[in-house]
Amino acid sequence: KYGFERYLVASLPELDEKLSDQTDLTNRDPELLQIYDEGLFPQHGTIWPSFHKSAIPISLSFPKDNPHKLYLSDPEVIALQNFGMESATWVPLRSSSRRPLIVCLGSMSSHALNNDQLAALLYPIVQLGERLERIKGTTDRPAVILSDRETQCLRWTAHGKTSLEIASILDLSEHTVNHYLAGAGRKLNAVSRPHAVANALRHGLIN
């Protein structure tokens, strides 16, 4: 749908680890992966290290004639450009294992995704991550138990309501609604509200 021709799914590598050793799925050129390993790009670049602290996806367009200035010197961006790519999106997923799972999608054309497109892309990526975890046998998680208020707030979120609208419906303050949604997100191991809704639906906690 979004024109991505290349993909890579890998656990976030530690400083001394090769990306190829942490990769679960990819159709990238083996030569590109070798360049990653030799330069330890994920560890020493600008993009991958940010996922140690942040769960916010990054989507960049970097055509050679008009590169994104902030990431112009990033070794990974330079390598992707050298292999004909002009845009890429990185989506981090929290995992039941210690380190995040990173899904990286690349395109030969220039089109960074907006927030709505990232939100639409998140659900199938979450499903992919969960299937990988099941295959790897790392999904022994305790049952998720939400409070009544957390469930109500998530249910209205699934219907497209904002925190302010939910507060009016449930006769709560907007701050309290945000508190319940944050709590539900933590219990559901979610990185965003759409992710929390998707996980709640999968667990049968809302309908």
Side-chain angles (χ1 to χ4, degrees), residues 70-120:
L70 180 62
Y71 297 95
L72 178 60
S73 61
D74 188 283
E76 180 177 13
V77 169
I78 294 171
L80 293 175
Q81 286 179 322
N82 289 337
F83 277 77
M85 282 182 249
E86 295 194 354
S87 60
T89 295
W90 295 260
V91 181
L93 296 175
R94 289 177 184 167
S95 170
S96 61
S97 57
R98 289 185 178 181
R99 61 183 77 186
L101 192 69
I102 311 298
V103 177
C104 181
L105 305 170
S107 175
M108 304 294 184
S109 58
S110 177
H111 58 273
L113 302 186
N114 59 38
N115 289 337
D116 289 340
Q117 290 171 324
L118 282 172

Side-chain angles (χ1 to χ4, degrees), residues 21-91:
D21 292 337
Q22 302 302 320
T23 298
D24 294 305
L25 295 169
T26 188
N27 68 345
R28 284 189 176 178
D29 192 309
E31 186 179 347
L32 177 57
L33 279 181
Q34 183 178 352
I35 292 173
Y36 268 66
D37 287 344
E38 291 173 352
L40 293 176
F41 289 168
Q43 296 92 320
H44 300 299
T46 307
I47 299 166
W48 288 67
S50 70
F51 298 133
H52 284 288
K53 298 180 179 180
S54 171
I56 300 174
I58 295 174
S59 188
L60 297 176
S61 174
F62 39 81
K64 287 189 175 181
D65 59 342
N66 186 26
H68 194 295
K69 291 183 180 179
L70 180 62
Y71 297 95
L72 178 60
S73 61
D74 188 283
E76 180 177 13
V77 169
I78 294 171
L80 293 175
Q81 286 179 322
N82 289 337
F83 277 77
M85 282 182 249
E86 295 194 354
S87 60
T89 295
W90 295 260
V91 181

